[in-house]
Structures are given as C-alpha cells and as structure tokens.
C-alpha cells in the first residue's frame, strides 16, 4: 500500500506487520510462564551486579528493592513483559547505527525528495550537500482532467523541478527493505534497463536501513553523479543517452520487504526479554542521572539555519516540455552498500511500485494551479555563507563497484558546453570544508588510506 503524507511517499506492508505481531504473541505465550516462575532474589542480585543504574545502591536501598520485587504481582510482571515485547518488535532499537534516527514502524518505510543545490561538475569529488526542504508531491488522480493521458495510464504522483535543478532521496525505515530506483526505467545503480525482481549480478537495488540516502547515479565505487533534472528531447537525460529514446522520464521506485519470519529470527528475537532480570529495571525506582543534552545534526538541519535569501537563478531558456528526466551532474562521495543477505530473505511476492512524474514549473502550474518552490541557493551562495556539508561512511559493509554503463554517460554540463546552449549556468568550483560526519565510522583521509595499504 502506498500513501502520500506531507509530500512523502509512504510504503506499508500490512502482511508483514500482521505476521510480526503474531510471532511476538507466540513468543510472549511461550516465555511468560518461565519468567513468572523465576527466583526473584536471584533476578534482583543479577540486576544489582550488572546494571550500572543499580550498582551504587546501599544495603538499605538493596533491602528496599528486594521488598518491592517480592511485592510485584504476576499481573504487573506480565504487563511489563508484554510492553517490552511490543517495544522490541516495533524496531525502535534496531541494531544498525543509522536506525537510531529512523522512526518508521515494522513493515513501513518512507521516501521524500529533498531539494538541494547543484554541485559543480568540475572533476572534483564533493561531499554531500544539504536538504533544503521537500519537493511538493501530488497524486495524479487528483488532476485527471489536466494531466497527460500517458501519465494517467502509469499512475503515481507528480513533482515539479526546474531545469538543471538537483535532488536527493531521503529514506526513512528501520525494518529491512530492498529498494529499486530508476529514472526513465534505467536503473540508477547498474545503468541497465528495468528488470523485474531483485538481481545480484550486478546488484540493482539498495538495502535499507543501511543506505540512508541516494543522491545520484552510481558511476564508481564510492562515487555517484548527482541527479539533475532536464527536459526530455534534448539528449541530456541518462535515459536518452543509454536507450536513444526520450520515452519515460521521471523516477520509478519499487520496494520489497524482508520476510517477516526471517526478520523476526534475525533482528527481533535477540532483543526480546528472556529473563525476569531484564524486566526489573523498568519496574523498580532507580537513581536519576542527569545527562548533558547532545546536539543532533542532520542533512536537513540547514532548514533551521540562517540561509540567505533565495534568488531565481535558473537558466533563461527554460521550456515547457513534457516530461522531464534525470541527467548526470557533478561527482559526489557516496557509497552504495552491498546486500550481504541471502537472496531468499526478500519477499518478492509482496511488493509496491510507484512512478514519480517530473514536470517543469509551467506544466506544474497548468496541472495543479499552484506555483512550485523557488529554486534553491547555488553552491556558490552556500559556500559564501559558510554553511556545512555532510558525509556518511561505514566500513562494515562492502560498497558496490559502480556501473561502467553509467560511468560512460555524458554529464549535463559537458553536453551543455558541447551544444553551446547554456542549459546549465553557474558551474564554478567551491570549497566544502570539513563535513559533518554520519555513520558508525569517520571516513579515512587519503593519507590514512596510504598508510593502511
């Protein structure tokens, strides 16, 4: 099931949620009798020994805790166990580092399309630019009388982009999903035509939640070329360069969940409470430790910063062309991570697919009757105000090598220069400074890599 909420595509899989709930109930019924039959003194002794919150308890405090433990009713322990099982099954504490920033329930994932500035196409490898707010997204069905018939046949949603404007995809999921992304039915990871199912040779999909974002076409190991919107018909899009046709445009997304039984055994079971000692800390009073608040940064944190006034700096030769596609922009540091799961873990029979139609400002106004957002700041304006860049790195999952097909595609800036049509303006190099780091590891410097070799 696909819903559109606050300009975000939300994919939900009720079958997954139902199966996980049944597995959690089964576990609860199997384990509860042994927890209620446990020696309560032994369980408390283990808490006093191993839980840092209770190690400092004085003898008097320990005696008080012991009395409280013996006074606990079976019903209260049962309620605590039930809450703990439900909480673990919600995936609020997934083992992945990145999922601490994720908030979706099991069987749910969301994608929003972040507006950003176009990085220079100057042979440098840039860090990740910020998100400057979500693109507006609307249901095609709401505009049946004004949308093109070819779009209505495919269904999906529509989204406005200016010529040469860039975007990146922000994923929100804590449950494991395999996600295929394509533009003009050309896979953004492999450069091959859209194929059904999930394919490993080469891998043509992303794995969530280990992949938080996607900013462009995978052209080499650890390098992507930024997604840049261009009208179809001029030869700029990746679709046209690879297929020779300006046929589809837009963005295609297909999502496959991990099988619920596999996920329960692998990701949930080890987090479920198995003994009374695991429940007692939530049933007993504990010392209150004051913790310093930590500032949490995100790629969308720039929305709260003092961003300069946005000016309309788009190309003067913008034309009303249907539809739009994605071309290749500047080089950016971003790994596409390998799927280390057995292929059988993915449920290929439970899938959702959505088509995102891209249209320029004039067409957006004609169809929706509203104005699109103004273009974002340029990379030069961003650099001038000293705002941050970002980086995500991990070394515990191998990165894909990138696509030789996509590596051979000409960039939008290169083609614009060859044509002499000024389709892309403002391509001067900028300095990124030290980026804000995400992920479980900091990206090694070139010098550190040389030492390692």
């Amino acid at each position: 099931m696909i819903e559109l909420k606050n300009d975000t595509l939300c994919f939900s899989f009720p079958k997954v949620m139902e199966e996980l709930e049944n597995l959690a109930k089964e576990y609860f019924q199997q384990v509860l009798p042994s927890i209620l039959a446990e020696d309560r003194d032994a369980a408390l002794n283990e808490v006093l020994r191993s839980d840092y919150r209770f190690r400092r308890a004085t003898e008097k405090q320990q005696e008080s805790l012991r009395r409280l433990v013996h006074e606990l009713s079976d019903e209260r322990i049962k309620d605590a166990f039930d809450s703990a099982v439900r909480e673990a099954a919600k995936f609020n504490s997934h083992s992945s580092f990145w999922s601490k920033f994720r908030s979706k329930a099991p069987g749910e994932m969301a994608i929003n399309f972040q507006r950003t500035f176009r990085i220079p196409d100057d042979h440098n490898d840039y860090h990740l630019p910020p998100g400057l707010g979500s693109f507006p997204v609307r249901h095609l069905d709401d505009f049946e009388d004004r949308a093109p018939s070819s779009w209505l046949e495919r269904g999906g949603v529509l989204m406005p982009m200016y010529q040469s404007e860039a975007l990146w995809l922000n994923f929100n999921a804590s449950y494991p999903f395999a996600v295929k992304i394509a533009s003009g039915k050309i896979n953004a990871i492999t450069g091959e035509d859209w194929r059904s199912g999930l394919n490993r040779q080469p891998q043509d999909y992303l794995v969530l939640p280990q992949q938080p974002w996607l900013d462009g076409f995978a052209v080499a190991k650890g390098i992507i070329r930024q997604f840049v919107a261009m009208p179809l018909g001029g030869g700029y899009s990746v679709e046209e360069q690879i297929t020779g046709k300006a046929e589809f445009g837009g963005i295609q997304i297909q999502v496959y969940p991990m099988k619920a039984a596999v996920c329960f055994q692998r990701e949930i079971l080890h987090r479920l409470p198995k003994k009374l000692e695991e429940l007692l800390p939530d049933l007993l009073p504990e010392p209150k430790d004051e913790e310093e608040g930590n500032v949490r940064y995100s790629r969308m944190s720039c929305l709260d910063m003092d961003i300069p006034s946005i000016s309309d700096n788009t190309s003067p030769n913008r034309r009303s062309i249907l539809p739009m596609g994605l071309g290749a922009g500047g080089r950016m540091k971003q790994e596409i991570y390998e799927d280390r799961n057995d292929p059988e873990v993915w449920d290929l029979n439970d899938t959702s697919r959505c088509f995102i139609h891209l249209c320029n400002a004039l067409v957006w106004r004609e169809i929706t009757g509203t104005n699109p957002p103004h273009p974002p700041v340029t990379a030069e304006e961003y650099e001038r105000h000293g705002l941050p860049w970002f980086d995500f790195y991990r070394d515990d999952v191998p990165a894909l090598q990138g696509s030789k097909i996509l590596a051979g595609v000409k960039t939008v800036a290169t083609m614009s220069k060859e044509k002499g049509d000024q389709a892309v303006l403002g391509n001067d190099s900028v300095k990124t400074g030290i980026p804000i780091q995400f992920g479980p590891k900091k990206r090694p410097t070139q010098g550190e890599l040389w030492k390692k070799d």
Side-chain angles (χ1 to χ4, degrees), residues 37-206:
E38 277 190 54
D39 184 323
R40 297 193 180 188
D41 285 322
L44 178 60
N45 289 340
E46 185 59 30
V47 171
L48 294 173
R49 183 191 68 80
S50 61
D51 194 309
Y52 74 95
R53 293 168 293 180
F54 293 89
R55 287 179 194 157
R56 296 174 299 172
T58 64
E59 289 186 8
K60 184 177 181 180
Q61 289 172 329
Q62 290 182 27
E63 187 59 34
S64 176
L65 291 171
R66 200 170 303 279
R67 185 171 61 253
L68 290 174
V69 167
H70 282 282
E71 291 174 354
L72 289 173
S73 65
D74 286 356
E75 193 63 30
R76 190 173 177 194
I77 294 174
K78 177 182 176 181
D79 290 343
F81 182 48
D82 179 65
S83 297
V85 170
R86 289 177 182 274
E87 186 66 20
K90 285 180 182 177
F91 264 70
N92 288 339
S93 56
H94 189 277
S95 58
S96 162
F97 165 85
W98 189 246
S99 65
K100 69 176 71 175
F101 300 101
R102 310 284 99 175
S103 60
K104 286 294 170 186
E108 294 182 359
M109 65 88 65
I111 302 176
N112 63 50
F113 306 90
Q114 283 291 313
R115 304 174 63 235
T116 191
F117 54 79
R118 178 171 44 82
I119 64 171
D121 181 11
D122 57 2
H123 307 295
N124 291 319
D125 297 338
Y126 284 89
H127 294 297
L128 303 173
L132 299 175
S134 297
F135 283 95
V137 183
R138 300 292 181 268
H139 278 296
L140 262 179
D141 293 344
D142 294 338
F143 307 100
E144 291 183 357
D145 56 335
R146 283 170 280 179
S149 58
S150 60
W151 290 16
L152 294 171
E153 289 175 5
R154 296 190 191 108
V157 298
L158 68 158
M159 185 175 82
M161 292 189 73
Y162 291 105
Q163 176 174 304
S164 75
E165 187 175 10
L167 86 158
W168 56 272
L169 277 61
N170 180 49
F171 304 115
N172 187 335
S174 54
Y175 188 88
F177 291 96
V179 181
K180 297 178 68 173
I181 307 290
S183 177
K185 293 196 175 181
I186 296 298
N187 192 287
I189 310 303
T190 65
E192 298 178 346
D193 290 341
W194 183 276
R195 292 193 287 164
S196 61
L198 300 175
N199 304 283
R200 291 286 187 101
Q201 300 297 328
Q203 180 180 317
D204 63 357
Y205 58 94
L206 311 172

Side-chain angles (χ1 to χ4, degrees), residues 1-5 8-14 17 104-113 157 171-173 175 177-181 208 252-257 351-356:
M1 182 170 64
I2 304 175
E3 296 179 281
L4 184 58
K5 301 177 181 178
T8 297
L9 282 179
C10 300
F11 295 77
S12 62
F13 296 84
M17 292 185 275
K104 286 294 170 186
E108 294 182 359
M109 65 88 65
I111 302 176
N112 63 50
F113 306 90
V157 298
F171 304 115
N172 187 335
Y175 188 88
F177 291 96
V179 181
K180 297 178 68 173
I181 307 290
L208 273 55
Q252 299 86 46
I253 298 174
Q254 188 161 14
V255 180
Y256 298 86
T351 182
S352 290
R353 181 176 176 181
C354 186
F355 202 105
I356 298 90

Side-chain angles (χ1 to χ4, degrees), residues 27 146 157 176 197 204 225 229 238 240 366 411 420 426 438:
Y27 178 87
R146 283 170 280 179
V157 298
D204 63 357
R225 280 200 176 273
V238 168
E240 292 171 88
E366 291 173 5
T411 66
F438 287 92

Side-chain angles (χ1 to χ4, degrees), residues 121-343:
D121 181 11
D122 57 2
H123 307 295
N124 291 319
D125 297 338
Y126 284 89
H127 294 297
L128 303 173
L132 299 175
S134 297
F135 283 95
V137 183
R138 300 292 181 268
H139 278 296
L140 262 179
D141 293 344
D142 294 338
F143 307 100
E144 291 183 357
D145 56 335
R146 283 170 280 179
S149 58
S150 60
W151 290 16
L152 294 171
E153 289 175 5
R154 296 190 191 108
V157 298
L158 68 158
M159 185 175 82
M161 292 189 73
Y162 291 105
Q163 176 174 304
S164 75
E165 187 175 10
L167 86 158
W168 56 272
L169 277 61
N170 180 49
F171 304 115
N172 187 335
S174 54
Y175 188 88
F177 291 96
V179 181
K180 297 178 68 173
I181 307 290
S183 177
K185 293 196 175 181
I186 296 298
N187 192 287
I189 310 303
T190 65
E192 298 178 346
D193 290 341
W194 183 276
R195 292 193 287 164
S196 61
L198 300 175
N199 304 283
R200 291 286 187 101
Q201 300 297 328
Q203 180 180 317
D204 63 357
Y205 58 94
L206 311 172
V207 177
L208 273 55
Q210 71 182 27
Q211 189 81 41
W213 311 304
L214 182 67
D215 288 62
F217 298 99
V219 298
K221 185 176 182 178
I223 299 294
I224 58 96
R225 280 200 176 273
Q226 190 176 31
F227 291 134
V228 176
M230 292 297 290
L232 291 186
Y236 285 99
S237 72
V238 168
E239 172 189 4
E240 292 171 88
Q241 292 189 55
I242 292 178
T243 69
K245 300 178 181 179
E247 186 174 2
F248 297 105
I251 302 170
Q252 299 86 46
I253 298 174
Q254 188 161 14
V255 180
Y256 298 86
M258 181 177 282
K259 293 177 180 177
V262 173
C263 186
F264 186 84
Q265 288 292 326
R266 181 184 298 181
E267 305 288 351
I268 298 179
L269 188 58
H270 71 276
R271 296 204 317 271
L272 296 174
K274 300 170 180 61
K275 295 182 178 181
L276 179 60
E277 66 193 55
E278 299 174 63
L279 303 176
L280 288 182
D282 293 327
L283 291 168
L284 299 174
E286 62 182 71
K288 299 293 182 182
D289 292 330
E290 294 185 3
E291 297 182 358
E292 295 183 4
N294 294 320
V295 177
R296 179 180 293 176
Y297 294 97
S298 76
R299 281 187 76 183
M300 281 71 79
S301 61
C302 292
L303 291 171
D304 300 322
M305 297 179 181
D306 185 17
I307 291 182
S309 299
I310 294 176
S311 57
D312 191 339
N313 46 44
T314 54
S315 174
N317 63 339
R318 192 183 308 141
R319 296 169 293 168
S320 178
I321 295 180
L322 285 172
M324 297 186 77
L326 294 179
R331 289 170 61 93
M332 197 181 302
K333 298 177 182 178
Q334 186 174 69
E335 285 79 14
I336 308 299
Y337 295 109
E338 180 182 310
D339 182 9
R340 297 184 298 174
N341 297 291
D342 187 288

